[in-house]
Amino acid sequence: MNKADVIIVGGGAAGFFAAINIAEFNPQLKIIILERNKEGLRKVKISGGGRCNVTHAEFIPQDLVLNYPRGQKELLGPFHQFMTGDTIAWFENRGIMLKVECDGRMFPQSNSSQTIVDCFLNEARKLHIEVKYEHTVNSIKKKDSTWCINTNKENFFAKKILIATGSSIKMWKLLERLGHTIVNPVPSLFTFNVQDKRIKNMPGVVANNVEVKILGTNLESKGPLLITHNGLSAPAILKLSAFGALELAKMDYRFQIEINFVGKPFENCLKVLKCAKHDLAKKKIIKLARFDLPKRLWQQLVLASTINEDMIWADINKTQLEHLSTQLTKAVFKVEGKSTFKEEFVTAGGIDLKEINFKTFESRVHKNLYFAGEILNIDAVTGGFNFQNAWTGAYIAAKHITNKDM
Ligand SMILES: Cc1cc2nc3c(=O)[nH]c(=O)nc-3n(C[C@H](O)[C@H](O)[C@H](O)COP(=O)(O)OP(=O)(O)OC[C@H]3O[C@@H](n4cnc5c(N)ncnc54)[C@H](O)[C@@H]3O)c2cc1C
């Protein structure tokens, strides 16, 4: 009979992290991971463009939670138990040094996600964790105090189970049957499709200090903006896609955005342009980009302001100056759809957070049923925060699973 003390459903980031910690807290326990694929940790392998953005160099829980559109309030307590510094130490203790990039993202020094995959696989082997690949969980039932797990191959039985299947619609349906509420899943972390003359044929162009608002909503963000083949990307846009995931889905990803390319109010921008009219009187407007804007973007914004290619600063009139200031500080673009960001996506939605005890990551609906990772209605902006949620939940669940009468 396939009996274990703890069964973990899902051999991904949260599943392996939980299993390893449980085995370390209590080496006597029999732990089985059930994974539907031929190998586990597939997302870890492809994460961060093959480099695995393990976590983020943000060490204040109150600031760290601000990166989670869903889970902000609930993760504050858990981050006081296990957060970024603990993640760094956890990997360091296993010989893996992490490095910080200038934007705070942290990667293995090897620059390869394989280092993280190998670490998990080696630890699991050393700790005698059984990993059953090609075992898809099809149903979960509780009989007396035992969990019965049916897979495509065999049945398994355990006193405690942890579900870490990520964004799996099938598993959410299964959990609904067990009495859990699922918040409808929608995509998060996507780029905006925009077809507009002002940004046509300039993929790769970056404006660094941009403010973006979604008109008709309270959604706004700041940061770098990248022009792509299809439209707009980079942190200023990805943050909006995450914080606006539900609202933008309702709008069917069709809305208008207002971009301030220079990060200054209209009047201040106008003042700078008036100075340019005086100081650069004989120069062609189109030639010299102002506000450190990329030249091609400046040129398109100038042309969109009813200013022709040959006009010099001395000839620009008041209306044209105002048009240019409008293009620079309040340019409106029509968004028509979304695209995937570098194949990286997460899902907003999942198990309703009201049904989880965040001191333990145990279900409030069933005893001895735990969850960690993306299966919960928690997701973050890009930068290593999604993995941090997986590590934190898995660690705390592992601690509680082993603390409680085992
Ligand atoms: C391309 C890409 C790049 C990313 N890069 C980053 C990054 O650099 N940094 C970051 O923080 N986040 C990144 N993310 C997000 C991050 O990968 C996820 O948030 C994280 O993997 C969630 O971990 P998890 O364990 O909850 O789910 P997963 O890692 O998805 O693991 C779930 C596992 O459960 C298995 N499973 C599902 N259903 C069943 C079933 N019925 N029976 C058995 N097994 C099942 C799956 O096969 C899978 O192995 C990236 C995501 C993508 C798609």
Side-chain angles (χ1 to χ4, degrees):
M1 190 142 85
N2 288 308
K3 249 181 115 179
D5 295 301
V6 187
I7 285 183
I8 290 170
V9 184
F16 266 88
F17 202 73
I20 293 165
N21 284 299
I22 294 168
E24 283 186 345
F25 290 140
N26 186 348
Q28 309 302 322
L29 298 180
K30 179 171 173 178
I31 303 159
I32 299 178
I33 299 179
L34 301 174
E35 166 55 47
R36 70 175 168 194
N37 289 327
K38 265 193 198 141
E39 80 249 318
L41 300 163
R42 272 195 187 165
K43 269 207 203 166
V44 174
K45 180 80 169 84
I46 58 168
S47 67
R51 294 198 299 144
C52 187
N53 180 190
V54 177
T55 187
H56 201 94
E58 171 57 76
F59 303 103
I60 301 166
Q62 283 81 352
D63 291 339
L64 185 61
V65 292
L66 297 179
N67 296 287
Y68 295 82
R70 285 145 293 272
Q72 201 165 100
K73 184 172 78 178
E74 292 79 4
L75 283 175
L76 188 59
F79 283 154
H80 278 96
Q81 286 196 56
F82 189 92
M83 66 165 232
T84 46
D86 305 296
T87 304
I88 298 166
W90 195 94
F91 283 103
E92 248 180 48
N93 289 338
R94 286 153 188 85
I96 295 165
M97 308 308 279
L98 303 182
K99 58 168 182 171
V100 195
E101 306 229 314
C102 53
D103 57 3
R105 291 178 304 156
M106 299 199 72
F107 295 88
Q109 252 172 18
S110 64
N111 258 335
S112 166
S113 57
Q114 192 63 45
T115 308
I116 305 296
V117 172
D118 289 345
C119 165
F120 286 162
L121 295 179
N122 289 337
E123 292 291 319
R125 204 172 305 120
K126 268 198 299 198
L127 293 160
H128 309 292
I129 294 164
E130 260 184 74
V131 191
K132 303 263 191 191
Y133 294 107
E134 296 182 289
H135 278 66
T136 304
V137 171
N138 291 324
S139 81
I140 299 172
K141 288 188 185 122
K142 199 175 190 184
K143 219 173 156 211
D144 303 324
S145 58
T146 304
W147 289 102
C148 314
I149 301 171
N150 165 259
T151 72
N152 56 330
K153 296 208 165 129
E154 311 146 85
N155 292 332
F156 293 83
F157 302 88
K159 191 167 173 221
K160 298 189 178 190
I161 58 173
L162 182 141
I163 315 226
T165 44
S167 304
S168 157
I169 293 179
K170 180 179 161 176
M171 186 53 70
W172 282 324
K173 288 212 165 113
L174 232 143
L175 291 167
E176 261 176 340
R177 270 177 250 142
L178 279 177
H180 269 289
T181 313
I182 306 302
V183 176
N184 198 24
V186 292
S188 180
L189 286 188
F190 47 83
T191 63
F192 294 175
N193 293 354
V194 178
Q195 292 303 323
D196 190 293
K197 210 174 155 197
R198 288 166 292 178
I199 56 164
K200 210 174 161 194
N201 297 331
M202 51 172 102
V205 165
V206 176
N208 277 316
N209 283 314
V210 167
E211 293 168 9
V212 188
K213 281 186 196 159
I214 298 187
L215 297 177
T217 72
N218 293 326
L219 296 163
E220 50 184 67
S221 75
K222 284 182 187 174
L225 176 109
L226 168 73
I227 298 170
T228 67
H229 286 286
N230 287 335
L232 301 168
S233 181
I237 299 297
L238 295 167
K239 267 188 248 166
L240 284 175
S241 80
F243 281 91
L246 307 186
E247 232 167 319
L248 302 183
K250 277 191 204 138
M251 294 177 180
D252 197 23
Y253 308 104
R254 276 158 221 285
F255 47 88
Q256 289 195 319
I257 54 173
E258 186 184 285
I259 303 184
N260 185 332
F261 286 104
V262 297
K264 282 187 199 325
F266 173 87
E267 287 301 336
N268 294 15
C269 175
L270 193 60
K271 257 189 211 157
V272 175
L273 296 177
K274 281 179 182 162
C275 289
K277 180 176 165 67
H278 180 263
D279 298 345
L280 305 167
K282 292 272 163 3
K283 298 262 193 271
K284 276 192 187 175
I285 299 167
I286 211 159
K287 283 274 183 222
L288 256 181
R290 309 272 75 207
F291 305 99
D292 283 333
L293 276 184
K295 196 170 169 194
R296 282 195 291 161
L297 179 61
W298 167 260
Q299 288 173 343
Q300 288 308 319
L301 295 175
V302 168
L303 294 174
S305 312
T306 62
I307 296 166
N308 72 41
E309 281 182 37
D310 299 318
M311 188 178 274
I312 56 169
W313 279 103
D315 293 340
I316 191 168
N317 64 32
K318 185 172 171 273
T319 314
Q320 286 167 321
L321 277 174
E322 283 172 1
H323 278 173
L324 183 52
S325 189
T326 302
Q327 283 299 329
L328 291 165
T329 61
K330 298 180 202 175
V332 174
F333 291 82
K334 210 165 150 192
V335 175
E336 291 178 292
K338 62 172 175 55
S339 295
T340 309
F341 162 68
K342 287 189 190 165
E343 303 311 314
E344 176 174 342
F345 50 87
V346 294
T347 309
I351 299 176
D352 195 331
L353 303 186
K354 289 198 282 296
E355 296 173 357
I356 305 297
N357 173 355
F358 279 93
K359 290 200 171 96
T360 59
F361 283 75
E362 190 177 15
S363 158
R364 289 191 192 278
V365 178
H366 291 280
K367 267 188 165 308
N368 294 327
L369 170 63
Y370 295 80
F371 299 106
E374 222 181 285
I375 189 165
L376 295 167
N377 182 22
I378 295 180
D379 61 275
V381 297
T382 182
F385 306 104
N386 282 300
F387 277 140
Q388 187 56 54
N389 166 49
W391 314 140
T392 295
Y395 183 88
I396 294 173
K399 203 166 156 198
H400 193 72
I401 284 170
T402 41
N403 271 353
K404 232 177 89 184
D405 55 66
M406 290 223 90

